[in-house]
Amino acid sequence: MIRENMAADWLGSIVSINCGESLGVYQGRVSAVDQVSQTISLKRPFHNGVKCLVPEVTFRAGDITELKILEIPGPGDNGQCGDFQHTDLCIPGIGCPGGTSQNGPGKLLKKPGASSSAPQNIPRRTDVKNQEVAISPQQQQCSKSYMDRHMESLNQSKGFRRRHNSWSSSSRHPNQVTPKKSGVKNGQMKNKDDECFGDDIEEIPDTDFDFEGNLALFDKAAVFEEIDTYERKSGTRSRGTPNERSARYRHDENILESEPIVYRRITVPQASKEFCTDSGLVVPSISYELHKKLLSVAEKYGLTLERRLEMTGVCASQMALSLLGGPNRLNPKNIHQRPTVALLCGPHVKGAQGISCGRHLSNHDVHVILFLPNFVKMLESITNELTLFSKTQGQQVSSVKDLPDSPVDLVINCLDCHENAFLRDQPWYKAAVDWANQNRAPVLSLDPPVNDMEQGIDAKWSLSLGLPLPLGERAGRVYLCDIGIPQKVFQEVGINYHSPFGCKFVIPLHST
């Protein structure tokens, strides 16, 4: 059995006890060794590197797999310790070899397979101290035990690692040196974590940095005045100084110096009415005779009627799609709410333009109802457009009775033309006008005539081709589409032309 005085020699030693995978590893100072119950107690214990919540833990000999002595304090220990050798601490039941033994650093005591019931001798602390151990002065000065290093890191964390704004620990503690670490690897890693992340959250200052107060210390006016004075003396001038800054610019405005903007870039021989675009460009109107001559010269150079009908159909369908709601209305989620458009066309070129527009609308999943009265002989352009339209999902009717009774989303009026005024006296024309006026749908007129008296249907929008005609109030809001007439064709008919369309093919016009 272990003698009482021998057990007392090991009190205060720091040991590491491995209790297997289930219980883990404990470290702490030996507070009691009971020979009768074969137990050992540790105070201020650490379990797997984490401080335990209880102040003391007691282990039975049967639960201990490995035992390692980390430090044996000497008599009159004042807190500074040198390097130490791992020495075996034997407790009956653990099965340590008899006699005094020394293990090199990092060597563990393994529990043998067969337990021994014979009492074992524990070497006295004085015996270990009398052993010859080569300790360097640097090791004696810097080496500390696991428990001492951990407690010092906790005590010094507030004063050693506290940082605020640009203050560092080196500026407030110039003479403080970070102690070197020794011991097991887990202790080194934990000390590094404590130094980096161990600040107490209560130490964070409550007051924020006073940006306004520090900004008030900077006299901007004096600095700029000094810069201006230096530039005047040196004869240089930097870009962007306060005296040269003009008014605020838009995100799409060019701040570089350029030529003066010319808003009147289109001049005609005689203009009875003028419009302007969203950007302020002036677009004068032309007479119907000049407009007719312009189309004739363009056709002579290759802009045939078929090509003009296609361009008009594309531009008119784009405008109609925008009026119907654009992507908000025409998307896969609204397939159950297909818009309905009624096309009212007459037996002339304007009617062929409407049929071309209806074909493009039908190709964009719009329900198109085309009204065209029956005639014995049709224009070739109308016949060709009807052949293409018949290959779409659109519906063609020849009687007003077949038009829907409920309001449609949009009515496109192509009944009127600049010539053939006798068509307005036909019964089908009057019936179609009455249906459009009774239907509460908005109306878009394609290339309407000049005289308001010739328009039987009040339009909300009107689309002109190339250059606008002097339309009246019944035409509604006027839009202009580009049908591809070259600039030199305008010059040939006496028009000084510069395109007002920019990046678009259809632009709105405003009365001046």
Side-chain angles (χ1 to χ4, degrees), residues 298-434:
E299 188 173 355
K300 181 181 68 173
Y301 287 107
L303 188 61
T304 60
L305 176 61
E306 289 76 13
R307 299 178 69 176
R308 194 168 77 240
L309 291 177
E310 190 68 18
M311 283 296 300
T312 305
V314 170
C315 293
S317 61
Q318 286 181 351
M319 181 177 177
L321 291 174
S322 299
L323 296 176
L324 291 172
N328 295 326
R329 179 75 181 275
L330 300 170
N331 62 65
K333 296 182 180 180
N334 287 339
I335 194 172
H336 60 288
Q337 295 180 347
R338 291 176 55 195
T340 302
V341 174
L343 269 169
L344 306 180
C345 300
H348 38 65
V349 177
K350 302 297 184 290
Q353 295 173 353
I355 299 173
S356 176
C357 175
R359 169 167 55 88
H360 289 288
L361 289 177
S362 183
N363 290 339
H364 287 264
D365 205 22
V366 177
H367 184 209
V368 179
I369 303 175
L370 171 61
F371 168 77
L372 180 65
N374 288 326
F375 283 89
V376 178
K377 186 177 181 180
M378 293 281 191
L379 295 176
E380 183 180 0
S381 58
I382 293 181
T383 304
N384 295 337
E385 292 297 333
L386 283 177
T387 303
L388 290 174
F389 182 81
S390 63
K391 301 303 179 181
T392 65
Q393 298 294 327
Q395 178 185 357
Q396 180 183 353
V397 298
S398 58
S399 175
V400 178
K401 297 180 181 179
D402 297 330
L403 292 174
D405 297 331
S406 58
V408 295
D409 293 281
L410 181 65
V411 174
I412 300 179
N413 179 22
C414 302
L415 294 174
D416 301 303
C417 66
H418 304 284
E419 301 173 353
N420 301 330
F422 68 92
L423 293 177
R424 287 187 288 273
D425 296 331
Q426 299 295 324
W428 60 266
Y429 181 89
K430 295 180 179 180
V433 169
D434 292 339

Side-chain angles (χ1 to χ4, degrees), residues 206-234:
D206 296 333
T207 59
D208 296 334
F209 183 76
D210 188 5
F211 289 96
E212 295 182 358
N214 283 268
L215 184 60
L217 301 177
F218 176 65
D219 192 354
K220 293 182 287 186
V223 173
F224 284 128
E225 184 178 357
E226 182 180 355
I227 294 174
D228 293 339
T229 304
Y230 172 77
E231 290 175 347
R232 284 194 296 268
K233 291 181 179 180
S234 61

Side-chain angles (χ1 to χ4, degrees), residues 98-408:
T100 303
S101 64
Q102 289 185 358
N103 295 327
K107 292 184 179 181
L108 304 177
L109 296 179
K110 300 290 184 177
K111 185 176 181 179
S115 61
S116 176
S117 59
Q120 303 292 337
N121 294 326
I122 301 177
R124 293 180 178 273
R125 181 166 41 195
T126 56
D127 297 338
V128 178
K129 289 185 61 179
N130 294 331
Q131 295 175 359
E132 295 181 359
V133 181
I135 302 176
S136 64
Q138 182 179 6
Q139 289 176 334
Q140 293 178 354
Q141 196 173 19
C142 300
S143 177
K144 293 179 181 291
S145 66
Y146 178 86
M147 290 290 293
D148 291 339
R149 287 197 309 271
H150 187 78
M151 293 307 296
E152 287 183 4
S153 65
L154 293 179
N155 295 332
Q156 296 178 359
S157 61
K158 295 183 180 180
F160 183 72
R161 297 188 308 272
R162 184 177 179 181
R163 300 178 180 90
H164 178 58
N165 292 339
S166 61
W167 290 85
S168 62
S169 60
S170 60
S171 63
R172 289 185 293 173
H173 305 280
N175 299 326
Q176 189 172 11
V177 180
T178 303
K180 293 185 179 180
K181 306 176 182 64
S182 62
V184 295
K185 185 176 181 180
N186 291 338
Q188 294 177 355
M189 297 301 295
K190 185 169 181 60
N191 286 341
K192 291 181 179 179
D193 293 342
D194 289 340
E195 290 180 3
C196 184
F197 306 106
D199 282 340
D200 193 354
I201 193 172
E202 296 179 355
E203 297 297 325
I204 298 178
D206 296 333
T207 59
D208 296 334
F209 183 76
D210 188 5
F211 289 96
E212 295 182 358
N214 283 268
L215 184 60
L217 301 177
F218 176 65
D219 192 354
K220 293 182 287 186
V223 173
F224 284 128
E225 184 178 357
E226 182 180 355
I227 294 174
D228 293 339
T229 304
Y230 172 77
E231 290 175 347
R232 284 194 296 268
K233 291 181 179 180
S234 61
T236 60
R237 191 70 176 172
S238 62
R239 176 182 175 84
T241 53
N243 294 337
E244 290 184 346
R245 292 177 183 172
S246 59
R248 295 187 178 183
Y249 297 99
R250 300 196 313 271
H251 68 282
D252 57 348
E253 185 175 357
N254 186 12
I255 64 174
L256 300 178
E257 294 183 0
S258 58
E259 298 179 357
I261 301 175
V262 178
Y263 292 99
R264 189 178 295 274
R265 296 189 292 183
I266 302 176
T267 58
V268 298
Q270 185 179 0
S272 60
K273 189 174 183 179
E274 289 184 345
F275 300 89
C276 66
T277 64
D278 290 338
S279 58
L281 299 178
V282 178
V283 180
S285 64
I286 59 176
S287 62
Y288 170 69
E289 289 75 16
L290 183 57
H291 192 273
K292 185 178 180 180
K293 182 180 179 180
L294 177 63
L295 296 180
S296 177
V297 175
E299 188 173 355
K300 181 181 68 173
Y301 287 107
L303 188 61
T304 60
L305 176 61
E306 289 76 13
R307 299 178 69 176
R308 194 168 77 240
L309 291 177
E310 190 68 18
M311 283 296 300
T312 305
V314 170
C315 293
S317 61
Q318 286 181 351
M319 181 177 177
L321 291 174
S322 299
L323 296 176
L324 291 172
N328 295 326
R329 179 75 181 275
L330 300 170
N331 62 65
K333 296 182 180 180
N334 287 339
I335 194 172
H336 60 288
Q337 295 180 347
R338 291 176 55 195
T340 302
V341 174
L343 269 169
L344 306 180
C345 300
H348 38 65
V349 177
K350 302 297 184 290
Q353 295 173 353
I355 299 173
S356 176
C357 175
R359 169 167 55 88
H360 289 288
L361 289 177
S362 183
N363 290 339
H364 287 264
D365 205 22
V366 177
H367 184 209
V368 179
I369 303 175
L370 171 61
F371 168 77
L372 180 65
N374 288 326
F375 283 89
V376 178
K377 186 177 181 180
M378 293 281 191
L379 295 176
E380 183 180 0
S381 58
I382 293 181
T383 304
N384 295 337
E385 292 297 333
L386 283 177
T387 303
L388 290 174
F389 182 81
S390 63
K391 301 303 179 181
T392 65
Q393 298 294 327
Q395 178 185 357
Q396 180 183 353
V397 298
S398 58
S399 175
V400 178
K401 297 180 181 179
D402 297 330
L403 292 174
D405 297 331
S406 58
V408 295

